[in-house]
Amino acid sequence: MRFTEQKMISILRHRGYRLTPQRRAVLRVIASSHDHLTPAAIYERARQKYPDIGLVTVYRALEVLGKLGLICEMHTGGDCRSYLMRRPSGHHHHLICSGCGEVIDFADCDLSSLEQRLTQKTGFKIEGHLLEFFGRCRNCQRVDSA
Amino acid sequence: MRFTEQKMISILRHRGYRLTPQRRAVLRVIASSHDHLTPAAIYERARQKYPDIGLVTVYRALEVLGKLGLICEMHTGGDCRSYLMRRPSGHHHHLICSGCGEVIDFADCDLSSLEQRLTQKTGFKIEGHLLEFFGRCRNCQRVDSA
DNA sequence: CAGTAACTGAAAACCATTTTCATTTATATT
DNA sequence: AATATAAATGAAAATGGTTTTCAGTTACTG
Ligand SMILES: [Mn+2]
Ligand SMILES: [Mn+2]
Ligand SMILES: [Zn+2]
Ligand SMILES: [Zn+2]
């Protein structure tokens, strides 16, 4: 389940943000892509709908969408350029292929018992977590062993 | 349990790397700090032992230490400037206070059943994971509610 | 229709990290 | 100890993603 473009627009406006053609273009790109996209990639695609859009504006749109909880970031372990991405509407995590970059979303993380233990031991009030798995997809495993 | 400076030196040399005073300085900083340090912070401290060291050299030393598995990186969820840090000698994770930045290491993550499930569902061969918790430490909770 | 705050784009600034390259140095070999 | 040499260093410049600045434009309210 994911937010539709319409749903995103209504959330945006409901929160007092203006609906500009630039934001519309960014929204459309995000809503219609099945991949996790970098800001630069979103920029490239948005330009097809709206050639005069600036990269700055894409960054600003992503910032707003982030605040609204409509996108989230992906953290690769490596050199960690934080990748912005489209987002299924709920909490989820990633399984990332270190070979080809393929990303699989998954949502069923159960860390609650671990969280409890940590809270007990440290007194921290835990508010969130970041969890990403790295590995090789089927294809890359095949190539590896060839 | 953590590596001693001596242990780190012996690993370094055993792998054919030269032992320079600069690397010695970086190693000493890392081995003697109880905190997670940024490259810049390591640079500042290393200069006290070895005033002529360059920041570039710190980066290069950290790269080598990374290859040798003597340090690892910390990923904050936020704007994700990857922080290099000192490392207890084994696999571990972080519990990070979003208020004051305090970091607590912990090692007992059991994600194997989740990993198995993912492997079965996706065919991925999972090689590693990134797990960080965010929350508020006792102090910051107190300040929050004041 | 205004009136106004929100929004935009170009350019410049930022800033952590990397690259380049000429010089120095740690180490192995005589 | 002197020598040879590949590895390591530091200054400076380059990179590249992201943010800031600022003057002009525009979406919305009334
Ligand atoms: Mn995702
Ligand atoms: Mn740690
Ligand atoms: Zn792959
Ligand atoms: Zn705190």
Side-chain angles (χ1 to χ4, degrees):
Chain A
M1 229 286 281
R2 19 173 96 122
F3 289 127
T4 63
E5 191 179 335
Q6 271 317 309
K7 178 69 179 168
M8 288 173 151
I9 288 175
S10 89
I11 292 175
L12 193 75
R13 305 209 48 184
H14 191 257
R15 296 273 211 108
Y17 290 99
R18 292 184 179 175
L19 183 58
T20 64
Q22 292 91 339
R23 283 176 178 164
R24 217 189 268 276
V26 170
L27 270 177
R28 173 149 311 172
V29 167
I30 291 176
S32 67
S33 163
H34 281 224
D35 296 316
H36 297 77
L37 304 172
T38 61
I42 293 170
Y43 172 56
E44 282 313 320
R45 298 187 188 196
R47 284 216 284 187
Q48 290 165 20
K49 281 278 165 204
Y50 195 94
D52 287 342
I53 193 173
L55 177 56
V56 209
T57 301
V58 172
Y59 274 103
R60 285 190 281 229
L62 291 172
E63 194 190 340
V64 169
L65 296 176
K67 275 187 199 154
L68 298 180
L70 302 179
I71 55 170
C72 64
E73 296 174 9
M74 194 173 70
H75 297 261
T76 70
D79 54 357
C80 192
R81 312 275 178 210
S82 72
Y83 294 118
L84 291 148
M85 54 174 189
R86 86 175 300 287
R87 182 198 188 193
S89 54
H91 173 83
H92 72 285
H93 300 282
H94 301 118
L95 173 52
I96 305 163
C97 178
S98 56
C100 63
E102 186 192 346
V103 178
I104 291 179
D105 290 317
F106 68 94
D108 54 339
C109 64
D110 184 14
L111 303 175
S112 53
S113 72
L114 179 51
E115 282 190 15
Q116 267 180 358
R117 196 159 4 116
L118 285 172
T119 293
Q120 206 146 39
K121 204 185 329 189
T122 65
F124 268 60
K125 181 170 156 203
I126 295 179
E127 294 174 331
H129 59 256
L130 175 64
L131 173 62
E132 322 257 84
F133 286 96
F134 308 103
R136 315 288 289 189
C137 73
R138 257 195 270 261
N139 257 335
C140 290
Q141 283 177 62
R142 208 174 299 134
V143 176
D144 287 345
S145 59
Chain B
M1 227 285 281
R2 17 174 100 121
F3 289 128
T4 62
E5 191 180 335
Q6 271 317 310
K7 177 68 178 167
M8 288 174 151
I9 288 175
S10 90
I11 292 175
L12 192 75
R13 304 208 49 184
H14 190 258
R15 294 273 211 109
Y17 290 99
R18 293 182 179 178
L19 182 58
T20 64
Q22 293 92 338
R23 283 176 179 166
R24 217 189 269 275
V26 169
L27 269 178
R28 173 149 311 172
V29 168
I30 290 175
S32 66
S33 164
H34 282 223
D35 297 317
H36 297 76
L37 303 172
T38 61
I42 293 169
Y43 172 55
E44 282 313 320
R45 297 186 189 198
R47 285 216 284 185
Q48 289 164 20
K49 280 279 164 204
Y50 195 93
D52 287 342
I53 194 174
L55 177 56
V56 210
T57 302
V58 171
Y59 274 103
R60 284 190 281 227
L62 290 173
E63 194 191 338
V64 170
L65 295 177
K67 274 187 200 155
L68 298 180
L70 302 179
I71 55 171
C72 64
E73 296 174 9
M74 194 172 68
H75 298 260
T76 71
D79 55 356
C80 192
R81 313 274 178 209
S82 71
Y83 294 119
L84 290 149
M85 54 174 189
R86 86 176 301 288
R87 182 197 188 192
S89 54
H91 173 82
H92 72 284
H93 300 283
H94 301 118
L95 173 51
I96 304 165
C97 178
S98 55
C100 63
E102 187 191 347
V103 178
I104 291 180
D105 290 318
F106 67 93
D108 55 338
C109 63
D110 183 14
L111 303 176
S112 53
S113 73
L114 179 51
E115 281 189 15
Q116 266 180 359
R117 197 158 4 114
L118 285 172
T119 293
Q120 205 145 38
K121 205 185 329 188
T122 65
F124 268 60
K125 182 172 156 203
I126 295 179
E127 294 174 330
H129 59 256
L130 176 64
L131 173 62
E132 323 256 85
F133 286 97
F134 308 103
R136 315 288 288 189
C137 73
R138 257 194 271 260
N139 258 334
C140 289
Q141 283 177 62
R142 208 175 298 135
V143 175
D144 287 344
S145 59

